[in-house]
Amino acid sequence: MTALPETKPLIYDLDLDQLTGLVQSWGEPAYRAKQIWQGIYCQLWGSAREFTPLPAGLRAKMANELRFTGLNASTVLKSSDGQTVKTLFLLPDGRAIEAVLMRYEHRQTLCISSQAGCAMGCSFCATGQMGFKRHLTSGEIVEQVLYYARMLKQEGKAVTNIVLMGMGEPFHNYENTLAAIDRLNHPDGFNLGARRFTISTVGLVPMIRKFAAEKRQINLAISLHASDDQLRSSMMPVNNRYPVAELIQACREYVDATGRRLTFEWALIQGVNDTPEQARALAALLKGMLCHVNVIPLNPTHKFAGTGSTRQRAEAFRAELDSAGIPCTVRMRRGIDIQAGCGQLATEHGK
Ligand code: SAH
Ligand code: SF4
């Protein structure tokens, strides 16, 4: 009996040990698994027939037993300057996720998704507004990267940085997110250094502690956006569960345990969290911590009334933090003309 295509394992869901076990169960030697692994993650082959160095029988077995495509690129949008590319992917169950490529002079950064939708319900976020659909598998996270890596390879370029800042809360899908990073970090395969990854979290305190205990080299960013409980809870329901003081305590423990610099994300909403007083309150909260603040004007969404701060107000906020000794960078959103804000394209798709 032949299995339905959807029931075949997605090859990117397998780690090297699992792939080795599978290949051996087909009566093949273990070194074949390593060859397949390198075909996927070094050569970036995306179908069984591309594995021409392998015997035809093994290629046929791979095609019959494994899926090489879990994501179908349904919409590809390029920004007017061509430097930002956003792709809407359809999953086999009809869910939609998005990933974005941002080209800089010497960097190619991917912003990828960890879930379809998100359960955290942040009011200003297009993904939060659509609610939770499901976790992505590790392979579905990995495949977003391979898709862009193949695109870049044609230009003689490669992925240099990956941020988990697309749809979803990576620490709500902790195991699959970390498994995906491990797969992409594997020295015999894709081999992207751990320091090239950044996980962004809404602030799930137990997971921050768990992550700290693992002492990994992966960068961590915390979406703070407000420094008092009243405002933060009004924007981010998760704050009712893990209020600011508890979150900052976990952040301090993280820095102490790892010696790594934390990033705080702050989406500037005109007249809401962009005043000099709020900058001073934030500086007081972060005082003495090894950290850095990224401020970015809010990207407007349909279901949230706030607007992004002007560049002038963003600069003033940065200057206030700076004078209190907190390093801060103003980031301007890329790809606004292609709805590259988190969850915006998938929102359009769901309509
Ligand atoms: N769930 C994780 C990662 C995905 S969101 C998190 O919340 O950190 C990635 C970043 O985009 C977060 O800092 C999030 O707060 C921010 N973000 C979400 N909606 C935004 C919007 N409309 N404008 C600006 N930033 C936004
Ligand atoms: Fe989820 Fe992050 Fe959006 Fe909040 S900001 S709803 S945690 S994706």
Side-chain angles (χ1 to χ4, degrees):
M1 199 180 87
T2 35
L4 292 168
E6 311 82 68
T7 61
K8 293 187 208 172
L10 181 65
I11 190 160
Y12 320 116
D13 274 325
L14 307 177
D15 64 25
L16 183 52
D17 285 346
Q18 290 166 327
L19 185 64
T20 306
L22 183 67
V23 163
Q24 286 176 322
S25 78
W26 298 342
E28 297 280 347
Y31 73 85
R32 291 293 186 203
K34 195 93 159 251
Q35 287 179 310
I36 296 171
W37 187 261
Q38 286 171 345
I40 301 165
Y41 294 108
C42 301
Q43 309 298 328
L44 304 176
W45 291 329
S47 63
R49 66 186 151 71
E50 288 173 80
F51 289 69
T52 47
L54 298 181
L58 178 54
R59 268 180 279 151
K61 189 83 177 161
M62 287 161 65
N64 281 333
E65 302 289 329
L66 292 164
R67 259 185 315 144
F68 284 79
T69 309
L71 307 177
N72 276 297
S74 83
T75 311
V76 183
L77 297 178
K78 270 191 186 169
S79 62
S80 39
D81 64 4
Q83 295 302 92
T84 305
V85 182
K86 173 159 190 160
T87 305
L88 180 78
F89 296 103
L90 294 184
L91 306 171
D93 60 0
R95 300 298 186 196
I97 57 157
E98 355 176 305
V100 184
L101 161 67
M102 290 160 286
R103 299 168 208 261
Y104 301 89
E105 207 175 339
H106 300 295
R107 277 183 296 144
Q108 287 76 235
T109 299
L110 301 185
C111 175
I112 61 170
S113 296
S114 57
Q115 298 177 318
C118 183
M120 300 298 135
C122 304
S123 59
F124 53 87
C125 170
T127 309
Q129 291 160 9
M130 75 180 70
F132 180 69
K133 309 296 183 194
R134 71 164 169 88
H135 294 301
L136 297 188
T137 68
S138 59
E140 289 168 337
I141 300 172
V142 164
E143 196 182 343
Q144 297 169 60
V145 175
L146 295 178
Y147 167 88
Y148 280 113
R150 290 173 194 140
M151 181 186 286
L152 287 166
K153 193 181 180 184
Q154 294 179 347
E155 310 162 20
K157 293 194 170 136
V159 175
T160 60
N161 299 81
I162 296 177
V163 299
L164 272 299
M165 293 193 188
M167 294 171 74
E169 166 51 39
F171 278 178
H172 182 210
N173 190 16
Y174 190 94
E175 301 302 332
N176 291 348
T177 299
L178 272 291
I181 293 175
D182 285 340
R183 217 150 294 153
L184 294 164
N185 177 226
H186 198 286
D188 297 329
F190 199 74
N191 197 22
L192 189 67
R195 288 190 170 93
R196 305 302 189 91
F197 292 85
T198 301
I199 294 178
S200 176
T201 178
V202 72
L204 299 180
V205 165
M207 294 301 150
I208 295 171
R209 296 219 160 95
K210 183 177 160 84
F211 185 70
E214 291 187 31
K215 296 224 195 316
R216 288 164 172 271
Q217 306 284 311
I218 302 162
N219 300 301
L220 185 61
I222 309 286
S223 296
L224 193 57
H225 306 313
S227 58
D228 66 273
D229 283 325
Q230 199 187 352
L231 179 58
R232 194 165 190 269
S233 294
S234 76
M235 296 161 62
M236 307 171 75
V238 73
N239 195 70
N240 293 307
R241 187 107 172 259
Y242 307 111
V244 174
E246 203 180 321
L247 173 59
I248 296 298
Q249 177 57 34
C251 290
R252 289 190 185 277
E253 288 170 19
Y254 169 86
V255 174
D256 286 347
T258 63
R260 298 191 61 79
R261 188 180 76 162
L262 257 184
T263 297
F264 289 93
E265 303 286 335
W266 193 279
L268 284 169
I269 311 171
Q270 181 94 11
V272 175
N273 65 352
D274 68 347
T275 63
E277 296 75 50
Q278 271 145 334
R280 285 195 289 274
L282 173 60
L285 196 64
L286 303 184
K287 194 164 188 260
M289 199 192 310
L290 180 62
C291 69
H292 181 270
V293 177
N294 278 334
V295 297
I296 182 159
L298 180 88
N299 203 13
T301 55
H302 293 302
K303 294 185 184 156
F304 184 72
T307 56
S309 304
T310 58
R311 186 179 260 280
Q312 211 179 5
R313 285 178 77 107
E315 271 308 324
F317 194 90
R318 188 200 60 75
E320 197 67 48
L321 283 180
D322 194 59
S323 69
I326 307 286
C328 174
T329 310
V330 178
R331 309 219 178 251
M332 297 314 278
R333 221 156 240 283
R334 302 240 335 215
I336 288 191
D337 59 337
I338 55 166
Q339 298 163 306
C342 164
Q344 292 187 308
L345 192 57
T347 301
E348 290 299 317
H349 170 81
K351 275 186 185 157

